[in-house]
Amino acid sequence: MLPVNRTNALLTILTQIKALRHTQQLHAKVIVHGPEEEVVLGSSLTNSYIQSNRLDLATASFDRIPPRKRNRYSWNTILSGYSKSKNHCESLRLYNRMRRDCDGVVDSFNLVFGIKACVGLGVLENGVLIHGLAMKNGLDKDAYVAPSLVEMYGEFGRMEDAQKVFDEITLRSSVLWAVLMKGEAGLGVDNALTLICLVKACGNVFAGKEGKSVHSLSIRRGFIDQSGYLQASVVDMYVKCRLLDDAREMFETSVDKNVVMWTTLVSGFAKCERAVEAFDLFRQMLRESVLPSQCTLAALLVSCSSSGTQRHGRSVHGYMIRNEIEMDDVNFTSFIDMYARCGNIRWLGSHSGNIEEGRKQFASMTSDYGIAPEEEHYACMVDLLGRAGEVGEAKSFIDNMPVKPMASAWGALLNAYRIHKNVDFAEEIAERLLSMGSNESSVYVLLSNIYADAGMWEMVNSVRSKMGMKGYTKPMGLSAIEVAYMVLSQVVEIVVPELEEMRAAHVVSIGSAALRSLTPYCEAGRRLMEYHMDIFKNVDVIVTPTTGCKPPGLPSHICTRTCSSNQETCCIS
């Protein structure tokens, strides 16, 4: 037997050589010097021959390992070679030989090799025995074994058994869904239930292309018009695959549009930040006398938060109050988030200097609704306190939280420091956020804005330099202007010829907040718009509008042009 260090050296060489002749030369040296019986070295030689597609030499190498020394690794190595070469007969023979000669070598890998051999040979009885062995060893729900069992039963047309295995798996991977779908398709489609299973499987693995094929098949076979549940499943599949136009087309042709189907589509548009279409659907839903559920309203609030449109959020709030719809924890959190993001904290009491309403709402979660506050709720409360100027209380609130403060709470506090130009603790909070793995780019940008608001331009340059060295960039800002009942999302880029002019115009200090969510038709919004137009009167602003329009009565201080030629130019003059 060779010394351990020499055996390790040979193993290292085996991992590096690629050519078959080099493997054979090394194998000859091993035979001459006698360490061939070493199970690790013998198994590695076997694997090298398999990688060179020489199964005959791999088998010879494996056979030279004494039976008493063969372990799980050596058996799995030779089994993998025969399984990959689709030599199912020899693979099953080796599997049975392993079971006869060695105890305690069963694992998920050799079980899968055995199952594949049974499928390849068409011997279900042996496959059922292997299934029993997997259950005995607690491996029937293994991430590798379970899909192989489902596929095996599907190949033999035993879909009830395949479904039983599938149903017992709690965490269903995309692989598991795919093999179930393959089994269903292999049997042929003779009823709507099979198509429903296929459509759901496509949605769960985000297989939009395959889902479209199943949808087409359901139309050709005439099943789509017979089953409302199939229609709802198709809509759900398209939404999950983010094919919203296809989802709406299927929805419009459906006869039985229940609240679940409406909610599925509304939620899809909301999650994909297509707020206008989400609210169009909601209005259509009400016109057709379909009562929305709490899930429908929660989806709409998500849409309001992402687009920064308060008018629609307030209409949802009013609808819930008028119709006495009970507010659950999801709706409660969504309302706080929506009002905060839309910049109207007055609804929660903080803009007027009286934050008692905010405290009352927070306390009512547990006292009135029995809802334990979670990370998002604490972060919203910190945001309320911070925006109201109670920065010290916001910091104390975080320090006394019954749970460990997460990045969202510290981020809200850092934003409060920006609003109130509190530089003293900003760096400390920023470092804390960076250590928690928060989005580093956004933290640096916020810290830079804090320094800019305080006129600390050297610190601004320092932070920006750090961003440059780390390869971070600030994405072009997104603004949302609410005009009547339309929300225009625009990408705004400030172009200033000289740095000193930019500093003089305070562009940096207001860049992150300017033109975020303005309503030109209300007096407060008009005054804010006029202020920003005055700031930017000598600055070109490049925008990408969703539609060309000229809001009436706006100041004539801004000229806009589109970034690309395929969109309309929106000029305010």
Side-chain angles (χ1 to χ4, degrees):
M1 183 179 294
L2 285 180
V4 173
N5 58 351
R6 187 163 183 182
T7 301
N8 290 339
L10 291 172
L11 288 171
T12 302
I13 295 172
L14 270 174
T15 61
Q16 295 174 350
I17 60 178
K18 303 296 182 184
L20 173 61
R21 61 187 182 87
H22 292 152
T23 302
Q24 289 176 307
Q25 288 172 1
L26 185 62
H27 193 180
K29 188 177 290 292
V30 169
I31 293 173
V32 170
H33 292 283
E36 189 180 16
E37 294 185 358
E38 289 290 339
V39 64
V40 176
L41 192 54
S43 300
S44 297
L45 282 166
T46 302
N47 185 59
S48 293
Y49 284 128
I50 290 173
Q51 299 305 318
S52 300
N53 295 317
R54 288 300 302 270
L55 202 53
D56 55 334
L57 297 177
T59 303
S61 174
F62 174 78
D63 288 340
R64 287 179 179 272
I65 303 173
R68 68 182 185 280
K69 289 189 176 183
R70 292 170 188 161
N71 59 15
R72 183 180 303 172
Y73 173 68
S74 57
W75 278 107
N76 285 349
T77 301
I78 192 64
L79 279 168
S80 71
Y82 280 99
S83 183
K84 289 176 183 176
S85 67
K86 300 190 184 303
N87 190 335
H88 303 302
C89 184
E90 186 62 20
S91 183
L92 188 58
R93 187 187 68 79
L94 276 170
Y95 179 82
N96 291 329
R97 181 177 156 197
M98 178 196 72
R99 291 281 299 125
R100 184 179 65 251
D101 295 347
C102 299
D103 292 327
V105 294
V106 174
D107 65 7
S108 58
F109 293 105
N110 52 53
L111 283 170
V112 169
F113 296 142
I115 293 168
K116 287 184 176 181
C118 294
V119 172
L121 295 172
V123 285
L124 177 60
E125 296 80 4
N126 293 63
V128 173
L129 291 175
I130 294 176
H131 186 184
L133 183 63
M135 294 176 66
K136 181 180 178 181
N137 287 272
L139 294 169
D140 55 314
K141 297 179 179 64
D142 180 83
Y144 293 101
V145 177
S148 296
L149 289 171
V150 172
E151 185 174 22
M152 178 187 74
Y153 286 120
E155 289 287 342
F156 287 108
R158 298 275 292 270
M159 288 311 301
E160 288 186 7
D161 293 315
Q163 190 71 48
K164 285 179 182 178
V165 176
F166 180 86
D167 291 340
E168 291 177 357
I169 308 301
T170 306
L171 299 175
R172 295 163 184 166
S173 66
S174 59
V175 175
L176 193 62
W177 276 103
V179 294
L180 182 67
M181 183 175 67
K182 179 183 175 184
E184 295 280 7
L187 288 179
V189 179
D190 57 358
N191 56 63
L193 182 59
T194 302
L195 285 166
I196 290 169
C197 292
L198 289 173
V199 168
K200 285 190 172 184
C202 292
N204 283 315
V205 297
F206 313 112
K209 182 179 179 181
E210 291 76 8
K212 280 189 174 184
S213 298
V214 177
H215 183 194
S216 299
L217 180 62
S218 68
I219 295 173
R220 292 197 301 271
R221 296 291 178 88
F223 291 124
I224 194 69
D225 296 326
Q226 300 175 12
S227 173
Y229 191 54
L230 176 57
Q231 295 170 3
S233 298
V234 170
V235 171
D236 181 64
M237 179 272 295
Y238 280 134
V239 167
K240 286 178 177 176
C241 297
R242 303 177 75 87
L243 300 171
L244 298 182
D245 294 329
D246 294 301
R248 185 155 194 174
E249 184 179 348
M250 177 69 251
F251 174 81
E252 296 295 351
T253 61
S254 300
V255 177
D256 182 22
K257 299 186 181 76
N258 57 28
V259 66
V260 175
M261 195 183 292
W262 281 99
T263 301
T264 299
L265 198 58
V266 169
S267 178
F269 279 108
K271 288 178 180 178
C272 292
E273 298 185 357
R274 293 170 64 170
V276 174
E277 288 151 298
F279 273 92
D280 283 345
L281 278 167
F282 180 61
R283 295 189 191 97
Q284 183 183 344
M285 182 180 184
L286 296 180
R287 285 196 298 270
E288 297 188 17
S289 302
V290 179
L291 294 177
S293 66
Q294 289 180 330
C295 294
T296 316
L297 299 170
L300 288 169
L301 291 172
V302 169
S303 183
C304 295
S305 296
S306 62
S307 64
T309 168
Q310 183 188 152
R311 181 194 300 272
H312 290 127
R314 290 174 63 181
S315 68
V316 174
H317 198 171
Y319 178 86
M320 292 185 71
I321 294 172
R322 289 193 306 273
N323 291 274
E324 299 180 347
I325 297 175
E326 185 178 353
M327 188 181 299
D328 62 9
D329 55 343
V330 176
N331 296 131
F332 190 93
T333 306
S334 299
F335 273 121
I336 294 178
D337 182 64
M338 182 272 297
Y339 283 127
R341 287 177 180 269
C342 292
N344 190 354
I345 312 302
R346 176 181 291 274
W347 278 86
L348 301 171
S350 64
H351 267 192
S352 62
N354 176 15
I355 56 175
E356 289 305 316
E357 181 65 21
R359 292 194 182 98
K360 177 182 174 182
Q361 294 287 351
F362 184 80
S364 72
M365 287 182 61
T366 51
S367 61
D368 298 339
Y369 298 99
I371 301 170
E374 297 181 2
E375 177 189 344
E376 294 81 1
H377 303 101
Y378 287 111
C380 286
M381 194 63 197
V382 171
D383 189 54
L384 292 176
L385 292 169
R387 288 176 183 269
E390 302 290 343
V391 181
E393 186 178 348
K395 177 65 166 59
S396 178
F397 183 86
I398 290 180
D399 292 337
N400 293 289
M401 282 170 55
V403 296
K404 182 181 178 181
M406 302 299 287
S408 56
W410 289 114
L413 183 61
L414 184 61
N415 189 55
Y417 286 153
R418 180 192 66 79
I419 293 171
H420 300 288
K421 299 179 174 61
N422 189 330
V423 183
D424 296 338
F425 301 102
E427 277 192 350
E428 177 188 342
I429 302 302
E431 290 297 330
R432 189 186 295 268
L433 278 167
L434 292 172
S435 68
M436 298 174 71
S438 185
N439 185 314
E440 296 190 30
S441 178
S442 62
V443 173
Y444 279 122
V445 169
L446 189 53
L447 186 60
S448 171
N449 289 340
I450 291 172
Y451 288 134
D453 286 342
M456 301 169 65
W457 299 109
E458 290 184 3
M459 296 303 295
V460 171
N461 291 334
S462 174
V463 173
R464 295 286 176 172
S465 296
K466 285 183 182 179
M467 289 182 65
M469 287 187 291
K470 291 178 177 288
Y472 300 134
T473 58
K474 181 183 182 299
M476 193 176 292
L478 176 67
S479 67
I481 301 178
E482 188 174 343
V483 181
Y485 292 100
M486 294 190 302
V487 179
L488 307 180
S489 295
Q490 302 176 330
V491 177
V492 181
E493 179 183 349
I494 309 303
V495 182
V496 181
E498 300 293 340
L499 178 63
E500 290 303 321
E501 291 182 30
M502 179 175 70
R503 291 175 178 171
H506 301 290
V507 171
V508 172
S509 64
I510 65 173
S512 61
L515 304 179
R516 168 135 169 72
S517 178
L518 308 176
T519 309
Y521 295 118
C522 71
E523 190 58 33
R526 185 185 301 278
R527 288 200 303 272
L528 190 55
M529 176 72 87
E530 288 171 350
Y531 169 74
H532 287 307
M533 293 305 107
D534 185 64
I535 287 292
F536 298 142
K537 61 185 177 182
N538 295 318
V539 177
D540 284 338
V541 179
I542 302 175
V543 301
T544 306
T546 57
T547 181
C549 73
K550 175 184 176 183
L554 290 184
S556 59
H557 297 147
I558 184 169
C559 174
T560 66
R561 60 182 182 271
T562 56
C563 294
S564 58
S565 59
N566 62 344
Q567 296 186 355
E568 298 181 61
T569 300
C570 171
C571 292
I572 302 174
S573 58

